[in-house]
């Protein structure tokens, strides 16, 4: 086929993206990286995290003005990993509003702190959070329970965003 036009532009944009971002298949691979130049780390752990990974992320949050975006959960690791947000945020027992087989995807109604609502079709709640302490702020809740939460501490330069939703679309992202 012809590689003129949009195909070349798309490839250029994608290749530029790969120069700007790193992708790790396992979050534990960050142990070998210098995190000082990162301003965003997005975590969707698919394996058990090591103590060294936890310590490195915690140190990065302490020293860097970055954002750690946690999809679902880093908190409830077996073995009792202790995170800086531990006293302030906990993941509640699993709840799923996932799409039943043969049925349309559910629509989750998110409620912001100011009371405005956002209907997100095709979305499901996979994690809910218990929040306490002055460093936590619920950005969105579903059925009265926090599902998108922000954590900040005066002892840390970085911020953590917890996102308990799956299957979201452009209305939410």
């Amino acid at each position: 086929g012809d590689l003129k036009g949009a195909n070349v532009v798309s490839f250029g944009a994608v290749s530029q993206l790969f120069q700007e971002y790193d992708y790790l298949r396992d979050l534990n691979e960050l142990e070998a990286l210098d995190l000082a130049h990162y301003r965003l780390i997005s975590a969707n752990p698919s394996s058990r995290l090591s103590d060294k990974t936890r310590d490195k992320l915690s140190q990065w949050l302490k020293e860097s003005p970055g954002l750690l975006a946690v999809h679902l959960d880093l908190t409830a690791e077996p073995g009792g990993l202790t995170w800086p947000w531990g006293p302030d945020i906990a993941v509640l027992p699993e709840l799923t509003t996932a799409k039943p087989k043969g049925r349309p995807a559910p629509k989750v109604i998110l409620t912001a702190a100011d009371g405005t609502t956002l209907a997100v079709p095709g979305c499901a709640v996979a994690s809910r959070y218990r929040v306490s302490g002055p460093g936590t702020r619920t950005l969105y809740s579903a059925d009265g329970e926090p599902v998108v939460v922000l954590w900040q501490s005066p002892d840390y330069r970085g911020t953590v965003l917890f996102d308990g939703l799956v299957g979201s679309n452009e209305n939410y992202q």
Side-chain angles (χ1 to χ4, degrees):
D2 189 344
L3 294 179
K4 292 181 181 175
N7 290 334
V8 174
V9 172
S10 294
F11 178 75
V14 169
S15 67
Q16 219 173 11
L17 178 70
F18 289 125
Q19 293 173 14
E20 299 289 328
Y21 297 93
D22 294 323
Y23 174 81
L24 305 176
R25 292 185 330 158
D26 182 340
L27 196 57
N28 288 311
E29 292 176 26
L30 68 74
E31 293 176 10
L33 299 176
D34 175 11
L35 302 182
H37 69 279
Y38 291 93
R39 291 299 168 254
L40 170 66
I41 296 176
S42 180
N44 184 7
S46 58
S47 62
R48 184 175 173 160
L49 299 181
S50 71
D51 287 343
K52 189 173 179 181
T53 298
R54 185 239 14 244
D55 293 346
K56 191 150 189 174
L57 281 171
S58 297
Q59 190 65 33
W60 177 77
L61 284 168
K62 190 166 207 54
E63 297 171 354
S64 300
L67 176 68
L68 173 61
V70 176
H71 181 60
L72 304 181
D73 185 12
L74 283 181
T75 306
E77 282 291 319
L81 292 178
T82 304
W83 293 95
W85 57 81
D88 300 326
I89 295 178
V91 177
L92 296 174
E94 188 174 315
L95 166 77
T96 183
T97 57
K99 175 185 168 188
K101 283 188 173 186
R103 296 191 181 177
K107 174 170 58 173
V108 172
I109 306 296
L110 298 177
T111 305
D114 66 2
T116 59
T117 60
L118 175 64
V120 187
C123 183
V125 174
S127 291
R128 302 165 298 142
Y129 306 98
R130 177 200 43 81
V131 297
S132 61
T136 60
R137 189 170 88 200
T138 298
L139 301 180
Y140 286 104
S141 60
D143 295 325
E145 296 188 284
V147 295
V148 180
V149 176
L150 197 65
W151 178 84
Q152 295 175 300
S153 168
D155 298 329
Y156 289 80
R157 294 182 69 201
T159 301
V160 183
L161 175 72
F162 293 88
D163 175 14
L165 303 174
V166 294
S168 59
N169 62 25
E170 67 277 355
N171 292 326
Y172 167 70
Q173 297 167 350

